[in-house]
Amino acid sequence: MIAQPSPWYTHAAQRMAATGPASTLRAPSRMEWSTHRGLGPGAEVLGTDLRGRRVLELGCGPGHNAAHLAERGQAVVTGIDLVGLQIRRARGHYGHIGNAAFITGHALHYLQATSGTFDAVYSVFGAVGLVAPELLLAAVSRRLKPHAVLAFSVPHPQRAGGLASTDDRPRQDGVTMPDGTRLPVARWEFDADRWAAHLTRTGLRLTSALDLRHPHGDHRPTTLLITARKH
Ligand SMILES: C[S@@+](CC[C@H](N)C(=O)[O-])C[C@H]1O[C@@H](n2cnc3c(N)ncnc32)[C@H](O)[C@@H]1O
């Protein structure tokens, strides 16, 4: 058997080959929870005043949302990503923002190793949904301060006309590469009730579940945005 690179590595490598080194950017004016700009709520999901708050992103990619929270929200943000090339992009774009740090690593391993605690943890199509929820949510819960927020968006289980999983196992999904090819990835495709049950088991309480729809798409929801709070 020939070992394959992670689809996330291939995605980042193709993007970097096409765009070249990351240039310095200003932080975006809004936090996005979906791939459609301006859709649904923004950073207020994580709290109305994030100044000085410790915030962690699981699967930050090129760091746009982390940069927004650090520069515009004045939060102290750490972005973790599995792929070093993504962290290089994030640092290239936003390394000038002093209260944003970008670290290469697996979200679960980072949470297990850190002694830090957080006022908010979030994931935007990132590690939540791509790592076994019973492990990842438990690790998040241990690092959240009392009453702190976990929020995450995932591809909606009904986005392609399908249904959410009826068990706790992952399904095979595909990730579209910049060159248009698709590579397989395992994804947990739960509805809000199943997420709520998993959250409850780890000491978190689901506080909101929002279906987001692209305004010019068909009627199907594209993104599921879940918010929870530590007891
Ligand atoms: C679809 S991208 C989203 C990136 C970013 N959140 C955004 O909205 O632009 C998914 C990201 O999650 C990262 N990722 C996947 N599994 C991960 C894990 N176990 N730990 C940390 N990052 C992970 C990938 O490397 C990739 O950069």
Side-chain angles (χ1 to χ4, degrees):
M1 199 169 103
I2 299 168
Q4 298 288 323
S6 155
W8 303 113
Y9 171 80
T10 305
H11 194 285
Q14 284 191 13
R15 175 62 55 80
M16 274 194 110
T19 59
S23 55
T24 301
L25 294 178
R26 281 214 64 197
S29 57
R30 214 186 95 92
M31 176 168 186
E32 302 292 352
W33 293 97
S34 85
T35 52
H36 186 94
R37 278 188 177 192
L39 186 65
E44 69 275 13
V45 168
L46 299 175
T48 47
D49 183 1
L50 295 172
R51 279 175 298 177
R53 301 283 178 180
R54 291 203 64 201
V55 178
L56 176 67
E57 177 166 8
L58 306 174
C60 65
H64 304 305
N65 282 320
H68 168 82
L69 295 170
E71 193 171 272
R72 312 279 177 138
Q74 296 296 299
V76 180
V77 187
T78 303
I80 304 295
D81 202 282
L82 192 59
V83 174
L85 281 179
Q86 290 285 35
I87 293 302
R88 204 195 294 172
R89 276 177 79 197
R91 289 180 184 157
H93 289 320
Y94 303 116
H96 59 284
I97 303 175
N99 46 328
F102 298 102
I103 299 173
T104 303
H106 192 293
L108 180 60
H109 301 169
Y110 178 83
L111 286 160
Q112 289 170 337
T114 185
S115 56
T117 54
F118 297 93
D119 298 290
V121 174
Y122 72 97
S123 164
V124 178
F125 285 30
V128 179
L130 296 170
V131 177
E134 63 274 24
L135 299 178
L136 190 62
L137 298 181
V140 168
S141 182
R142 279 195 289 275
R143 303 314 329 156
L144 279 177
K145 296 178 186 172
H147 313 300
V149 173
L150 165 66
F152 56 91
S153 56
V154 287
H156 200 287
Q158 293 168 13
R159 64 194 175 284
L163 292 173
S165 298
T166 52
D167 59 37
D168 287 343
R169 286 176 299 188
R171 286 181 183 161
Q172 183 167 305
D173 188 24
V175 188
T176 304
M177 299 294 117
D179 71 1
T181 55
R182 269 174 85 75
L183 293 178
V185 68
R187 194 186 290 287
W188 280 261
E189 302 256 16
F190 295 169
D191 61 15
D193 287 346
R194 195 170 288 272
W195 280 116
H198 275 269
L199 289 161
T200 302
R201 272 179 230 140
T202 65
L204 300 166
R205 179 175 51 87
L206 184 140
T207 51
S208 144
L210 202 56
D211 293 343
L212 300 178
R213 289 176 171 78
H214 287 192
H216 306 301
D218 56 27
H219 60 285
R220 289 177 192 147
T222 54
T223 302
L224 176 62
L225 170 57
I226 300 277
T227 311
R229 226 170 243 286
K230 174 109 181 241
H231 289 295

